[in-house]
Amino acid sequence: MKGALIGCGFFARNQLHAWRDIDGVEIVAICDRDAGRLNEAGDQFGTEHRYSDANAMFADGGFDFVDIATTAPSHRPLVEAAAKAGVHIICQKPFAENMADARAMVAAAEAAGKVLMVHENFRWQSAVRAAIDALRSGAIGTPFFGRVSFRSGYDVYAGQPYLAEGKRFIIEDLGIHILDIARALFGEVSAITASTKRVNPKINGEDVATMLLAHHGGVTSVVDCSYATKRDPETFPETLLEIDGTEGTLRLDAGYRLTIQAGGKSETRDVAPPVLPWAERPWHNIQESVAIIQQHFVDCLREGLVPETSGADNLNTLALVEAAYLSAAEGRSVSLEEM
Ligand code: NAD
Ligand code: 89V
């Protein structure tokens, strides 16, 4: 299976490492408008075909899928060009800056008969996955309350300076992952209430968001995110969980410790992710999930299955992001039907 990658920036290195480790997959072409980044990635990964223009790369072809690793503003034109070129697509989050663009991308891939998956990787982190699997197996009965929490003071702006520049920040960049985990755990959402705050005066967007979600299945969840939380130990980039069910409780605590209490027993497991050979702490958790989600994409292509985080699925996560911003702006609960 041959692939191409567009966007050789900060995060794409992880994607290139992960592709290199997947059996039967080869990245044969890469593209970036920035010649320095293009050549640095091309030299590191030995990629011969290098392009500054994605349309030229699509015109030359020679690959089955494209991995779009650019930031959101470029996603729609690149996804539409990929669909037109007749290749399968994996696209980074945030999938789009608005619902109209996201729906147009899903429609373009559908019309072309190609698979479109969003690189929504946090639900694929092995610690989070262990919690999802335990919950789905009924380990604590039927859940009725959940807290999905990401609080950190890690300097994310050093590696990703654009995060400090946008009008929107934490819900769009990080909250999107945490809202997606809430969907994976508790199902779809009927209404959301959100409040946001900017604590760090050096950034333009909000760096704190607290959201209350009413899920169709009857769970109420709290999704809270902060990049302004100075604490020790620093837990970046761990998502912590507290879930109450009719038969017990599940906790994913700092240090990747999963505790399930049910039937009078308490079991604690170490669910820490491995540090892959090309990974480094503290990013190893995210880096492992990149390898897992890309393997999932390849497995789906090989077996003709719809990826769990398909473009169509991701519309529901993106709708939560939009609804959260609307709720915070207007100081009211927002029904997802409004999206
Ligand atoms: P970046 O700005 O460092 O890199 C993006 C690269 O894309 C740049 O080199 C830029 O020149 C190139 N580019 C942009 N538009 C292009 C176009 N039309 N044609 C060719 N090249 C183009 O950004 P980043 O920090 O690597 O983030 C990329 C995406 O990955 C973002 O959407 C970000 O939210 C996401 N991200 C995801 C995770 C995750 O865990 N899933 C983690 C970090 C970043
Ligand atoms: O995963 C991400 O999307 C990153 C970060 C962890 C820094 O929020 O942008």
Side-chain angles (χ1 to χ4, degrees), residues 38-320:
L38 179 68
N39 287 323
E40 206 184 305
D43 292 348
Q44 185 181 355
F45 291 91
T47 320
E48 191 189 336
H49 300 291
R50 304 176 191 180
Y51 296 84
S52 58
D53 175 14
N55 288 322
M57 188 176 80
F58 287 124
D60 283 355
F63 46 89
D64 311 294
F65 73 87
V66 65
D67 183 2
I68 299 172
T70 59
T71 47
S74 55
H75 288 173
R76 180 170 174 181
L78 293 174
V79 166
E80 288 179 341
K84 207 166 151 206
V87 296
H88 300 296
I89 306 154
I90 171 169
C91 178
Q92 260 296 350
K93 51 59 67 178
F95 185 34
E97 293 179 299
N98 56 65
M99 293 303 297
D101 283 352
R103 290 190 180 111
M105 287 187 272
V106 171
E110 261 170 28
K114 293 294 156 188
V115 170
L116 168 60
M117 184 178 102
V118 177
H119 189 126
E120 181 40 79
N121 52 326
F122 270 41
R123 66 161 74 190
W124 292 99
Q125 290 172 6
S126 48
V128 172
R129 205 72 202 179
I132 292 171
D133 290 346
L135 194 70
R136 289 183 184 169
S137 76
I140 60 164
T142 305
F144 58 85
F145 169 82
R147 178 178 176 205
V148 190
S149 177
F150 185 106
R151 312 194 75 76
S152 167
Y154 185 82
D155 178 14
V156 287
Y157 316 105
Q160 297 164 264
Y162 58 89
L163 295 178
E165 291 157 15
K167 224 176 104 194
R168 291 176 165 189
F169 169 37
I170 200 166
I171 300 177
E172 183 179 81
D173 174 68
L174 181 278
I176 196 167
H177 291 304
I178 314 305
L179 289 165
D180 189 70
I181 291 174
R183 282 187 58 231
L185 287 165
F186 310 124
E188 301 306 342
V189 175
S190 51
I192 185 167
T193 312
S195 76
T196 58
K197 189 172 177 61
R198 182 180 62 208
V199 175
N200 182 343
K202 295 186 187 139
I203 67 169
N204 286 328
E206 82 291 350
D207 52 2
V208 177
T210 310
M211 296 166 270
L212 182 71
L213 281 62
H215 295 261
H216 288 303
V219 176
T220 300
S221 72
V222 177
V223 173
D224 59 293
C225 306
S226 165
Y227 269 131
T229 301
K230 301 173 178 71
R231 67 176 175 187
D232 189 21
E234 168 58 67
T235 52
F236 179 86
E238 290 180 54
T239 302
L240 308 183
L241 301 172
E242 293 176 36
I243 305 172
D244 293 355
T246 50
E247 310 302 325
T249 61
L250 180 156
R251 301 278 182 271
L252 180 59
D253 291 315
Y256 304 104
R257 292 169 63 76
L258 178 67
T259 300
I260 295 172
Q261 297 182 339
K265 290 193 198 132
S266 179
E267 188 206 7
T268 299
R269 272 195 287 149
D270 177 1
V271 289
V275 185
L276 295 175
W278 46 267
E280 59 187 349
R281 292 176 190 277
W283 284 85
H284 63 297
N285 172 30
I286 292 178
Q287 288 164 317
E288 188 215 16
S289 69
V290 168
I292 295 172
I293 196 172
Q294 290 181 190
Q295 181 69 60
H296 175 66
F297 178 70
V298 170
D299 291 345
C300 288
L301 290 188
R302 286 185 178 141
E303 291 161 33
L305 301 173
V306 177
E308 186 172 312
T309 55
S310 67
D313 174 85
N314 199 256
L315 293 179
N316 291 342
T317 294
L318 213 54
L320 283 173

